[in-house]
Amino acid sequence: MEFYEKLEKIIECFNINQKFDMFNEVLKNLEKYNFNSKNTPKIFEAPSYSNFCQIVPPAKVPRRRGFETNEKKAVILHAIVHIEYSAIDLALDACYRFRNLPKEYYFDWLEVAKDEIRHFKLINSLLEKTGYKYGDFPVHNSLFEASVKTQDLLSRMAIVPRWYEANGLDANEKIINKLSKINDNFAKEVIDALKIILKEEIPHVKKGDKWFKWECKRKNLEPVSTYFNIIDHFFKDWKKKDLNVKARLKAGFSCKELKILNEKTEC
């Protein structure tokens, strides 16, 4: 079975352990695959987690308030584990959807998928310590919808890694800061996990930055104006309040871009 057919099956697989086993099998045989294809990728109708998660509008997702009870801890961890699981399928879809690109492109996003699986396992183990499991709380499918709406490489790299995942760099730092004020051993475990994820997500966003700029160069487009034209097309209100400036700069954002996102940015 060729590379893209295998990826399609992995993306659609909702048995988590089987999904990870299939992915590992692809990694073992990576040098055997040909990344050229004339076949058209399918547009997935639903995310794989729809088989075990109740999908609701973002406003209906349980609010993350407090850390006093196992349920409150689980709500926070469930939101994070859902992002990590979604990120696995997004990285795989980045490989599946965009074909006949340099081999380095596929190696980059398979490496991201591998990291996201590890992140998922890390947070999921903490979630299960609370007595809850992935699927016990409703989730939204904003990341999946973003993947459906971005069927070209330029918009995909702009919207998924350079917007949503970059926003994750900001959010991760905020959660760490809030949990740091809690005198709780479990909170310290979560902080340690989030610090690992934050450090490793920076290269993920940087990969998106690299391939966004690669596509801009291929299409003879100016990256900064192109990026904000795409963002403006997808979002009505995209100005940011809190930016993790240090992480975003490491991930490839320019100071000019950060000042456009938030005019008060100092860099």
Side-chain angles (χ1 to χ4, degrees):
M1 188 181 295
E2 58 108 5
F3 178 69
Y4 297 107
E5 289 175 338
K6 284 186 178 291
L7 284 186
E8 184 176 310
K9 289 186 178 297
I10 297 170
I11 292 168
E12 291 186 316
C13 181
F14 56 86
N15 180 307
I16 295 176
N17 289 329
Q18 183 181 350
K19 188 186 196 79
F20 295 170
D21 287 343
M22 292 166 67
F23 174 76
N24 288 332
E25 192 64 29
V26 166
L27 287 187
K28 288 178 185 177
N29 296 287
L30 196 54
E31 294 296 337
K32 299 178 182 179
Y33 294 120
N34 184 342
F35 302 111
N36 295 322
S37 175
K38 294 181 181 179
N39 296 330
T40 302
K42 71 185 292 184
I43 298 176
F44 300 106
E45 296 182 359
S48 60
Y49 56 77
S50 63
N51 288 274
F52 53 83
C53 287
Q54 178 191 1
I55 298 173
V56 298
K60 298 290 185 180
V61 173
R63 299 295 297 274
R64 292 173 280 179
R65 292 174 176 170
F67 208 70
E68 302 84 5
T69 67
N70 277 348
E71 183 176 5
K72 288 182 177 181
K73 292 172 181 176
V75 167
I76 292 173
L77 291 167
H78 194 275
I80 300 169
V81 88
H82 178 58
I83 291 170
E84 298 303 330
Y85 182 91
S86 299
I88 297 166
D89 279 350
L90 284 172
L92 294 173
D93 189 72
C95 291
Y96 169 77
R97 190 149 312 281
F98 307 112
R99 307 184 176 193
N100 309 311
L101 295 174
K103 184 183 290 188
E104 182 186 354
Y105 173 86
Y106 302 100
F107 285 5
D108 273 354
W109 291 108
L110 290 172
E111 183 179 22
V112 170
K114 183 180 178 181
D115 287 348
E116 300 295 7
I117 288 172
R118 186 160 38 78
H119 295 170
F120 171 85
K121 290 179 177 179
L122 184 61
I123 299 299
N124 195 52
S125 66
L126 293 171
L127 173 63
E128 291 180 349
K129 283 186 178 182
T130 68
Y132 292 84
K133 66 181 186 300
Y134 184 32
D136 281 349
F137 300 98
V139 300
H140 65 77
N141 65 348
S142 298
L143 289 175
F144 172 76
E145 289 183 340
S147 71
V148 173
K149 293 174 182 176
T150 51
Q151 295 296 309
D152 64 280
L153 181 64
L154 194 68
S155 63
R156 174 64 64 88
M157 294 296 107
I159 295 299
V160 175
R162 279 192 116 245
W163 179 259
Y164 279 110
E165 292 192 64
N167 288 350
L169 301 178
D170 309 327
N172 190 318
E173 184 180 52
K174 289 175 68 175
I175 296 171
I176 289 173
N177 290 339
K178 286 182 179 180
L179 292 179
S180 297
K181 299 173 183 177
I182 300 172
N183 185 20
D184 182 297
N185 288 332
F186 188 69
K188 292 176 182 177
E189 285 188 67
V190 176
I191 289 170
D192 288 343
L194 290 177
K195 285 182 177 179
I196 291 171
I197 292 172
L198 177 57
K199 181 180 178 181
E200 295 182 356
E201 289 291 341
I202 292 172
H204 297 180
V205 179
K206 193 166 182 63
K207 285 180 171 64
D209 178 75
K210 176 175 76 174
W211 291 107
F212 172 74
K213 290 172 179 173
W214 180 86
E215 185 69 345
C216 282
K217 185 176 181 179
R218 190 165 72 153
K219 291 180 175 290
N220 196 28
L221 297 170
E222 194 283 315
V224 175
S225 59
T226 300
Y227 177 68
F228 285 104
N229 285 339
I230 294 171
I231 297 303
D232 205 40
H233 174 75
F234 278 87
F235 306 104
K236 293 180 180 178
D237 182 15
W238 48 261
K239 292 288 185 177
K240 303 291 294 179
K241 291 182 179 179
D242 301 304
L243 295 177
N244 187 337
V245 174
K246 185 178 179 180
R248 281 178 175 262
L249 289 172
K250 286 182 179 178
F253 280 84
S254 66
C255 191
K256 179 181 179 180
E257 287 175 303
L258 299 186
K259 286 182 180 294
I260 293 172
L261 288 167
N262 184 334
E263 60 187 15
K264 296 181 180 180
T265 297
E266 294 182 5
C267 56

